[in-house]
Amino acid sequence: MTQNVGGIDRILRIVAGLALVILAATGVLGPWAWLGLIVLATGLVGICMPYKLFGFSTCAIKTDTDTVTE
């Protein structure tokens, strides 16, 4: 599968996911905070299924540097 979660998006997902999991584990937030595991996983792997479903991507646009346009 092609990654569709870019740099800043990945960092934010990892930080938010870790925060939610820690808050859920300490009992500060309810059981819904365990959904932070999904947010954390998408940040670590770089693939978000809803992004793929809607054709969205936050990855940088890749260009072919081997071709020369004149």
Side-chain angles (χ1 to χ4, degrees):
M1 273 191 176
T2 306
Q3 290 187 342
N4 59 2
V5 179
I8 294 174
D9 193 6
R10 287 182 82 172
I11 292 168
L12 291 175
R13 286 171 184 261
I14 292 169
V15 170
L18 283 173
L20 284 171
V21 169
I22 290 169
L23 291 172
T26 58
V28 174
L29 293 178
W32 284 99
W34 285 107
L35 290 174
L37 288 171
I38 296 171
V39 177
L40 179 62
T42 59
L44 292 173
V45 176
I47 300 170
C48 177
M49 288 309 206
Y51 276 13
K52 191 167 288 296
L53 179 67
F54 294 112
F56 190 69
S57 177
T58 58
C59 287
I61 298 173
K62 295 179 183 168
T63 59
D64 188 10
T65 57
D66 294 336
T67 60
V68 178
T69 56
E70 294 180 28

